[in-house]
Amino acid sequence: MSERTCLSIILAAGEGTRMKSALPKVLHAIAGLPMVAHVVRAAAAAGAGDVAIVAGRGADEVKRAAIPFAPTAETFVQKERLGTAHAVLAARNAIERGYDDILVLFGDTPLVSVDALAKARAKLAEGASVAVIGFRPRNPTGYGRLVERDGALLAIREERDCSEAEREITFCNGGLMAIAGKDALRLLDAVGNENAKGEFYLTDIVEIARDAGLTAVATEAAFEDLLGINNRAELAEAEAIWQKRKRREIMLDGVTLVAPETVFFSFDTEIGSDTVVEPNVVFGPGVKVSGNAVIHSFSHLEGASVAEGCQVGPFARLRPGAELRGKAKVGNFCEVKKAVVDTGAKVNHLTYIGDAFVGAGANIGAGTITCNYDGFNKFFTDIGAGAFIGSNSSLVAPIKIGREAYVASGSVVTEEIADGALAFGRARQATYPDKGRQLREKLAAAKRKAE
Ligand code: UD1
Ligand code: MG
């Protein structure tokens, strides 16, 4: 099929008022990715990487969301909302370039599967002019009904225009369809607006095609593939379905999820086999975890890479630019940002490592902080391989700590420490024999006198 050229037209001009949001509806995210980008991604994977988006407000932002998955994506603006056929024709200039297949998708139907699109395109390859993607919703109210006879699709009837008998049909229009490029403009230009809503219905091209002696068919997709999002409750429903699919995919790829329903992934999360993810872990965008790692409970990772055999958490936060190399450990209540924790290094307890390099095998004691920010600029901390940083040390950046250097607990380090050196950066302890007891007695006497 790949030799057939394909344009996807994504309708995204919906007002989305029920989202009650300043953000255009199709830019609301599922798994950290705008809905419209999910659609573009599926279209590209189904061979329709030439993308025309028909947008309403926020056309520039919508295009920006599409570009990572379809670098040549273009947007067209539908000025008046006169119906789905009218919306498709807003992309007339793109259609006129000439394609074998045209896929019409909705920007607010983000869970559409590559498989459903490929199935519809396959029908065009077999000679159909129109292939409609149908489904059987639990409640068909509001959907266009697919009127079929002997495997051919006769018409799509919008609910408001249905006869009593047609309203009983449970096979419905998911809204998405594939149209043969050679017939598309002819069919679309023939659509009128004589119907209950006075709109130019894309769905009318089915009857128009049949009247012209062309073939229209319906394919069937899962209900979940065609879930349309109109409010935030439906957005959450789609998120849940997406997460469920991703968890399954990740587990089938060889990752152990101890309690899958408590782990949340982003659209681009990658995890290697034999890694174990404990309950209650969140993966924000841009995370790659290699194999044989353990991500302990209650960790939050974002923009981070975790190499083979690393251990993260429990209660660890890896922020953008965190890079854990082989077998490194980042333990409880630690935060790592824009920093390398090199092979075998350990950052185990209550520590902040930001804008830093932690050399191989270094040991960072509990409560260590890289003081990377003076309120205006960020500075770098460079810790040599094998260094030992005693607990509760503050490393005031910019600072360099040599290989195998040793920093005493409680130090405030402001000067470079050479390789192999021992540094104390704290006041000396003074101890006065018996003075403790004397002080206690004095204070007690004072208190008695006051009472
Ligand atoms: C449409 C279908 C219906 C199908 C249902 C599935 C038509 C006429 N009807 O109905 O058969 O069962 O989807 O969800 O196609 N849009 C524009 N510009 C317009 C009108 C719509 O961009 O002028 C976009 C909307 O933003 C939306 C999509 O097209 O993404 C569908 O429009 P909507 O009004 O939701 O159509 P439905 O009445 O749901
Ligand atoms: Mg709709």
Side-chain angles (χ1 to χ4, degrees):
M1 195 205 304
S2 57
E3 60 277 9
R4 290 174 68 94
T5 60
C6 185
L7 169 72
S8 54
I9 300 178
I10 300 175
L11 306 191
E15 281 302 311
T17 48
R18 278 183 283 154
M19 297 299 280
K20 304 199 174 159
S21 174
L23 193 68
K25 175 163 84 170
V26 298
L27 292 179
H28 283 262
I30 288 171
L33 186 71
M35 285 196 253
V36 69
H38 281 273
V39 178
V40 172
R41 195 188 195 197
D50 279 7
V51 170
I53 303 176
V54 178
R57 69 195 167 101
D60 290 343
E61 286 167 275
V62 169
K63 184 169 164 174
R64 229 173 291 132
I67 296 286
F69 303 99
T72 59
E74 49 193 334
T75 41
F76 296 88
V77 174
Q78 184 195 21
K79 291 198 186 70
E80 274 181 293
R81 217 169 167 275
L82 300 180
T84 41
H86 180 261
V88 173
L89 280 171
R92 181 186 291 275
N93 288 346
I95 302 171
E96 276 174 347
R97 283 201 296 266
Y99 287 89
D100 295 320
D101 302 348
I102 310 266
L103 273 180
V104 179
L105 306 166
F106 293 167
D108 65 358
T109 305
L111 299 179
V112 62
S113 68
V114 178
D115 183 54
L117 300 180
K119 240 160 124 185
R121 284 193 69 196
K123 292 291 178 192
L124 300 188
E126 289 166 18
S129 285
V130 180
V132 173
I133 305 180
F135 73 133
R136 294 177 199 278
R138 283 182 290 259
N139 175 6
T141 308
Y143 291 107
R145 308 297 206 279
L146 300 182
V147 185
E148 285 183 302
R149 195 195 302 138
D150 304 329
L153 183 63
L154 302 186
I156 305 176
R157 203 80 72 215
E158 290 308 295
E159 166 131 327
R160 297 176 190 223
D161 303 301
C162 276
S163 66
E164 282 297 314
E166 285 166 343
R167 207 161 283 159
E168 296 301 310
I169 298 172
T170 55
F171 193 28
C172 293
N173 176 22
L176 317 188
M177 58 177 84
I179 311 169
K182 62 179 171 35
D183 304 319
L185 282 176
R186 176 158 63 116
L187 297 174
L188 290 162
D189 280 329
V191 172
N193 64 349
E194 305 78 31
N195 52 51
K197 255 176 144 180
E199 282 191 359
F200 294 89
Y201 286 164
L202 174 62
T203 46
D204 283 355
I205 68 168
V206 169
E207 274 180 295
I208 295 168
R210 286 188 51 81
D211 290 346
L214 302 170
T215 313
V217 294
T219 60
E220 186 167 345
F223 168 72
E224 296 182 340
D225 274 16
L226 296 166
L227 188 68
I229 309 306
N230 295 302
N231 57 45
R232 305 216 195 202
E234 288 167 353
L235 185 70
E237 202 180 316
E239 176 82 38
I241 293 167
W242 190 96
Q243 292 294 343
K244 202 170 166 196
R245 286 181 179 176
K246 178 75 175 181
R247 289 168 190 141
R248 190 176 158 75
E249 181 191 313
I250 284 215
M251 289 188 282
L252 295 183
D253 280 349
V255 176
T256 295
L257 303 183
V258 176
E261 65 285 2
T262 68
V263 177
F264 293 83
F265 296 103
S266 277
F267 69 98
D268 59 353
T269 309
E270 291 176 26
I271 304 188
S273 63
D274 284 330
T275 282
V276 175
V277 181
E278 291 184 352
N280 295 301
V281 173
V282 175
F283 294 91
V287 176
K288 276 194 185 141
V289 179
S290 300
N292 295 302
V294 182
I295 313 295
H296 295 284
S297 287
F298 299 103
S299 294
H300 187 285
L301 297 81
E302 184 185 0
S305 74
V306 176
E308 278 282 320
C310 286
Q311 297 227 21
V312 175
F315 295 98
R317 179 166 184 212
L318 302 186
R319 289 174 52 204
E323 181 189 337
L324 274 50
R325 298 190 177 156
K327 296 197 170 164
K329 279 188 180 177
V330 171
N332 44 282
F333 305 106
C334 292
E335 174 177 340
V336 178
K337 182 218 78 167
K338 210 172 166 192
V340 172
V341 180
D342 206 354
T343 315
K346 291 180 191 163
V347 182
N348 270 343
H349 330 270
L350 302 139
T351 284
Y352 172 61
I353 299 291
D355 302 297
F357 182 90
V358 178
N363 191 315
I364 310 295
T368 298
I369 303 288
T370 53
C371 308
N372 60 329
Y373 186 49
D374 62 5
F376 298 90
N377 293 298
K378 302 276 167 67
F379 301 95
F380 194 74
T381 298
D382 188 359
I383 300 172
F388 180 93
I389 312 295
S391 297
N392 203 30
S393 291
S394 300
L395 312 178
V396 183
I399 192 78
K400 187 169 174 7
I401 295 165
R403 294 173 68 89
E404 299 187 347
Y406 198 109
V407 175
S409 296
S411 290
V412 177
V413 179
T414 55
E415 286 165 23
E416 180 169 338
I417 302 172
D419 291 354
L422 167 66
F424 286 82
R426 64 186 189 212
R428 261 192 188 284
Q429 179 174 331
T431 309
Y432 305 97
D434 212 38
K435 283 273 186 196
R437 192 166 342 108
Q438 289 171 25
L439 179 63
R440 209 185 287 269
E441 280 165 5
K442 193 171 137 191
L443 293 174
K447 193 168 183 191
R448 268 197 307 277
K449 204 170 158 195
E451 278 163 4

